[in-house]
Amino acid sequence: MQIRDSVMDDLPFLLEIYNQSVRNSAATFDLEEQTLAQRTEWFSHYGGRYPLIVAQVQDQVVGYASLSKFREKPAYQYTAECSVYIHDRFHGQGIGRALMNDLLSRTSKLGYHSIVAGITDGNEASMRLHESLGFQYVGCLREVGFKFQQWQHVHYYQYFVR
């Protein structure tokens, strides 16, 4: 497995991975699958302080992770939100951990003080992963999304950059 910065040619893989989550998981609150044009616009927001990295096995991208703006106000500039998505066929193989370790190793150099993760109910594997990496549980926003005909809670975890 190779971890590297994402390039435009990865977009079809990233789209497939993301749309799996749209269809099968509350990990994203998108309700409809994204198009390649929508993901191309999304891709344009990454680079510099907001890395988008991929895990590649042979010639296939099997997962990705990113840092994005936490909030728009200038005082939030030292905080980012992390996301990680793994292709369904590759769950439980340590790919999420490898991606997150690489992402977190960049945070100090990028000037961050804190990283936030929002994880929905039912995603215990992601909760365990984040806790094992040093994220601390800081609270829950109850019933903030409605997907799969039920209200979804989002649990927030925070990591302080050392």
Side-chain angles (χ1 to χ4, degrees):
M1 174 178 50
Q2 174 191 9
I3 306 269
R4 60 171 175 76
D5 290 332
S6 184
V7 295
M8 189 68 81
D9 287 344
D10 297 329
L11 265 175
F13 295 108
L14 302 179
L15 178 64
E16 177 185 351
I17 293 165
Y18 187 74
N19 281 340
Q20 282 180 341
S21 286
V22 172
R23 288 188 305 270
N24 304 319
S25 159
T28 174
F29 280 178
D30 275 321
L31 301 176
E32 295 181 13
E33 292 186 29
Q34 299 284 288
T35 65
L36 188 57
Q38 288 170 310
R39 286 321 256 182
T40 301
E41 165 63 22
W42 164 85
F43 187 89
S44 73
H45 296 271
Y46 292 95
R49 288 193 75 219
Y50 303 105
L52 172 61
I53 61 174
V54 298
Q56 183 173 328
V57 174
Q58 296 173 357
D59 61 348
Q60 181 182 2
V61 172
V62 298
Y64 67 92
S66 63
L67 292 178
S68 55
K69 282 187 179 182
F70 174 63
R71 300 276 165 100
E72 288 297 321
K73 306 285 185 191
Y76 288 115
Q77 68 184 306
Y78 301 106
T79 299
E81 185 169 3
C82 66
S83 297
V84 59
Y85 291 90
I86 308 301
H87 191 287
D88 288 349
R89 291 193 323 256
F90 292 88
H91 286 187
Q93 298 182 26
I95 294 166
R97 177 175 301 283
L99 283 164
M100 288 298 296
N101 277 329
D102 186 282
L103 201 61
L104 292 174
S105 75
R106 300 170 182 230
T107 56
S108 178
K109 185 176 181 181
L110 292 171
Y112 290 111
H113 175 70
S114 136
I115 307 299
V116 174
I119 305 171
T120 53
D121 262 354
N123 198 347
E124 285 78 15
S126 186
M127 291 176 185
R128 284 191 306 272
L129 171 64
H130 284 79
E131 288 172 356
S132 74
L133 294 170
F135 282 77
Q136 295 181 337
Y137 179 77
V138 293
C140 176
L141 295 178
R142 300 176 54 79
E143 299 182 4
V144 292
F146 191 77
K147 188 171 183 180
F148 302 132
Q149 300 304 308
Q150 64 184 19
W151 289 107
Q152 303 289 333
H153 307 322
V154 178
H155 300 272
Y156 282 92
Y157 290 78
Q158 187 174 21
Y159 175 88
F160 287 99
V161 178
R162 296 163 190 23

